[in-house]
Amino acid sequence: MNVLIVHAHPEAKSFNTALMTLAQAHFLEAGHTVVVSDLYAMNWNPVASAADFTQRKSPDYLVYALEQRHNYEQQAIAPDIAVELDKLKAADLVIFNFPLYWFSVPAILKGWIDRVLISGVCYGGMRFYDQGGLKGKKALVTLTLGGREHMFGENAIHGELVDGMLRPLLRGTLAYVGLEVLPPFIGYHVPYIKPEAREQVLLDYKSYLANLDELTPLRYPHMDEFDGKLYPKG
Ligand code: FAD
């Protein structure tokens, strides 16, 4: 199996980076291939702009998604995007490893999503959800955060987590491009817990990874449940 870890933490000694390193070691020991895109270490450019294209279809007016499609076909997309896209296409499992920033991903990771999940390859036309361009691959979100576990849930102060806070990422992005989305692994309250509790989070993650095949992917729409105009079928 080919594993791609997209990692977005600015501190190499952080706990979040320790989770990434643990996953890397876990899959290497199991005989898999692991590629890490360490976005801060790569000084990844997160800004989607006209500079991403060398052969504009429409030089006077930028429609980013159309230029993604055209420049990919012409092999004229920015080299940093092309490299990440090749890693993504080769991957069977993609792990997104990051600290939660404002209920979301750090900007550097958002920029990876904006620039790498390109139209025409990852989605396009009626190719989304279970028909998305990345179907057949799995995604796992591994994140750390400051809040406590009881602060997330139906009546909790911050609301639902998987179908609420993480919906734009899990559903609107990963499931949308066809990835089979596994239940996320979450390290709660990480900066404030005792060192032993953090050690336990690492142990929990190790067994989570060891049992990944047993996890039931999250349920997202299937295109055959909708008609040609995307109304739900009777
Ligand atoms: P670190 O501070 O790197 O680590 C915590 C402790 O673990 C440190 O003492 C470190 O020395 C120790 N450590 C490092 N390695 C190990 C190891 N191998 N074993 C044991 N201990 C180790 N939180 C929310 O809940 N909701 C939000 O919306 C939110 N938004 C945020 C927005 C911003 C801009 C920022 C900066 C933070 C936000 N946070 C939020 C908090 C953030 O998600 C957490 O601070 C972060 O996830 C903690 O993980 P870390 O790896 O950065 O912790």
Side-chain angles (χ1 to χ4, degrees):
M1 177 167 78
N2 292 330
V3 182
L4 169 62
I5 306 179
V6 184
H7 176 55
H9 197 291
E11 171 54 60
K13 296 189 288 296
S14 67
F15 182 77
N16 188 274
T17 303
L19 287 172
M20 182 278 284
T21 312
L22 186 154
Q24 183 184 30
H26 168 85
F27 287 109
L28 285 174
E29 274 164 30
H32 301 298
T33 303
V34 183
V35 172
V36 178
S37 286
D38 185 342
L39 301 184
Y40 284 97
M42 290 157 61
N43 199 21
W44 171 257
N45 165 24
V47 181
S49 77
D52 292 342
F53 313 115
T54 54
Q55 287 184 27
R56 289 282 294 275
K57 190 177 173 75
S58 164
D60 301 330
Y61 188 103
L62 177 65
V63 180
Y64 192 80
L66 294 184
E67 295 295 351
Q68 281 183 314
R69 187 181 286 245
H70 175 72
N71 279 259
Y72 175 76
E73 284 164 3
Q74 303 302 314
Q75 298 186 325
I77 205 142
D80 60 342
I81 297 175
V83 168
E84 293 307 297
L85 204 49
D86 284 346
K87 294 179 193 172
L88 185 60
K89 287 198 288 189
D92 303 297
L93 169 67
V94 188
I95 300 179
F96 296 88
N97 193 94
F98 60 90
L100 189 76
Y101 280 3
W102 299 116
F103 274 32
S104 185
V105 296
I108 200 167
L109 176 54
K110 180 58 166 56
W112 187 94
I113 290 168
D114 293 347
R115 296 180 70 226
V116 178
L117 299 185
I118 70 171
S119 174
V121 178
C122 302
Y123 71 98
M126 295 290 267
R127 291 167 58 244
F128 52 96
Y129 286 129
D130 65 329
Q131 298 305 315
L134 301 183
K135 71 177 174 186
K137 304 174 189 294
K138 291 184 177 176
L140 171 66
V141 164
T142 299
L143 63 94
T144 53
L145 47 72
R148 294 175 190 266
E149 190 165 1
H150 72 261
M151 297 173 179
F152 300 90
E154 206 180 319
N155 295 314
I157 189 157
H158 297 316
E160 246 294 295
L161 199 142
V162 166
D163 291 326
M165 184 177 80
L166 295 179
R167 189 170 180 267
L169 175 65
L170 300 178
R171 179 171 178 162
T173 306
L174 306 181
Y176 186 84
V177 294
L179 293 164
E180 202 168 271
V181 184
L182 300 172
F185 180 86
I186 298 168
Y188 290 97
H189 212 40
V190 156
Y192 314 108
I193 54 179
K194 295 202 166 106
E196 310 84 82
R198 275 194 293 271
E199 291 300 330
Q200 188 59 49
V201 176
L202 291 169
L203 291 173
D204 291 347
Y205 190 41
K206 206 168 168 45
S207 46
Y208 202 81
L209 294 176
N211 295 302
L212 221 50
D213 291 341
E214 319 298 320
L215 294 175
T216 307
L218 301 174
R219 177 70 163 86
Y220 289 112
H222 291 191
M223 295 302 279
D224 63 6
E225 296 164 348
F226 296 82
D227 67 18
K229 290 186 173 165
L230 298 179
Y231 287 103
K233 284 182 183 167

